[in-house]
Amino acid sequence: MTSQTGGSHTESTLHDRLNALLRGPGPLDKRALLATLDAEIAAREFHAYKAGWNDAMAELRHAS
């Protein structure tokens, strides 16, 4: 999978990560699972937001 910034690297999908968390070792702690998912979703949103701004800034520099 390629990222929005054009690099080529393996990135797990949110679905893959959820499967790994649900099938992981030990008992399922719902609060810990929700906290982990919340942190991972926030990180993914931040990276997507940052990539969008980087793309927009690159377009502005290119247009100038």
Side-chain angles (χ1 to χ4, degrees):
M1 176 180 275
T2 58
S3 70
Q4 287 184 344
T5 57
S8 178
H9 65 298
T10 302
E11 183 178 294
S12 66
T13 65
L14 196 55
H15 182 265
D16 294 339
R17 185 64 180 132
L18 180 56
N19 268 334
L21 289 169
L22 290 174
R23 299 179 196 287
L28 181 62
D29 178 348
K30 290 180 184 178
R31 289 179 190 223
L33 175 62
L34 288 174
T36 299
L37 288 174
D38 185 51
E40 291 194 20
I41 290 169
R44 289 172 187 262
E45 288 175 344
F46 171 76
H47 290 297
Y49 179 79
K50 186 171 107 178
W53 272 105
N54 287 342
D55 290 346
M57 294 302 291
E59 281 187 41
L60 284 174
R61 283 191 294 269
H62 181 64
S64 296

